[in-house]
Amino acid sequence: TWEFMGAVTRDLQVDIGQCNNEPPTIEPEGPFCVLAGDNVSFTIDADDPDGDPIVLTGTGGPLVVPNPATFIQPVTGIAPTSGFFTWDTDCSHVRKLPYTVDFKVKDNPPNQNEPELASFMTVEIQVIAPGPANPSATPQNAAIALNWDTSSCRQAIGYRLYRRDGSSGYVPGNCETGVPASTGYQLIADLPGLGNTSYLDTDSLKIGNLYCYLVVAY
């Protein structure tokens, strides 16, 4: 149930005047997607049509998390100029939503009567966990023994196993996680525990059939 609590009227004044200063610019970068443990690095190039001195700064999650990214700022100088962003990601940085880094470039026109102008650019960085390495499937009479390495991310709390009768040719896309339903794989086991890295599949297997498996850490 929504109840009306009150209202506020605000007055906003906008002054529009002649300006002989052009705003600075930033070259777009990204988006980026990296596996936890990989490095993401890029150069931020800023310029100014008038050749004015500019100041480049950045804010955002990667700069304040534990094991943060490095971006030495402010970057100052006569346009054009550039700054360098680098981040050694790790498993603690994995999350569903991408991180954002907001870069701002502001000019400083020599004519003090001209307003300082700014431009902004946002970079998205998605950090995903790597999949389990070295999966194997070994027939054992009427069963198939499945094994894989322990997840390199110690934050993993278990594994899910999927099976398909016949190959689908499915190759995960860039930054794709999980197992899409469209692939035809069916969940056959949910195995809690970081070290639970083996499974014996005995469920309705038929001699001579081709079975394909996917293992996902979560």
Side-chain angles (χ1 to χ4, degrees):
T1 300
W2 293 90
E3 296 183 6
F4 179 72
M5 301 295 295
V8 176
T9 300
R10 300 189 62 181
D11 181 49
L12 176 67
Q13 177 177 313
V14 179
D15 295 327
I16 301 175
Q18 186 67 32
C19 181
N20 295 318
N21 183 29
E22 294 292 330
T25 60
I26 309 180
E27 289 295 320
E29 292 288 343
F32 298 93
C33 184
V34 296
L35 292 177
D38 289 349
N39 171 271
V40 54
S41 300
F42 53 89
T43 299
I44 307 94
D45 295 316
D47 202 351
D48 186 84
D50 303 312
D52 293 337
I54 55 178
V55 179
L56 176 65
T57 56
T59 59
L63 297 169
V64 296
V65 295
N67 301 321
T70 299
F71 178 65
I72 299 175
Q73 58 176 319
V75 180
T76 60
I78 301 296
T81 189
S82 61
F84 186 69
F85 175 97
T86 183
W87 189 18
D88 291 320
T89 64
D90 60 42
C91 289
S92 70
H93 300 139
V94 173
R95 68 179 194 183
K96 280 190 174 183
L97 295 177
Y99 294 86
T100 58
V101 189
D102 299 309
F103 294 98
K104 173 185 176 182
V105 59
K106 183 180 69 172
D107 68 3
N108 183 19
N111 185 349
Q112 300 301 313
N113 293 324
E114 294 293 341
E116 295 180 347
L117 300 179
S119 293
F120 301 85
M121 186 263 292
T122 298
V123 178
E124 289 190 352
I125 304 173
Q126 180 75 61
V127 182
I128 63 175
N134 300 317
S136 65
T138 306
Q140 292 185 356
N141 298 321
I144 297 180
L146 306 171
N147 295 274
W148 56 92
D149 291 349
T150 301
S151 173
S152 59
C153 280
R154 298 299 170 176
Q155 291 86 345
I157 59 173
Y159 307 89
R160 294 191 178 101
L161 281 172
Y162 297 81
R163 187 182 75 188
R164 174 188 165 92
D165 192 348
S167 176
S168 69
Y170 168 66
V171 177
N174 180 45
C175 219
E176 184 176 11
T177 59
V179 180
S182 60
T183 62
Y185 282 89
Q186 301 293 321
L187 179 67
I188 62 170
D190 192 320
L191 308 173
L194 176 65
N196 204 353
T197 58
S198 63
Y199 182 77
L200 187 65
D201 184 15
T202 60
D203 185 13
S204 304
L205 297 177
K206 298 178 181 179
I207 300 296
N209 278 19
L210 173 67
Y211 295 100
C212 294
Y213 296 88
L214 288 173
V215 57
V216 174
Y218 66 89

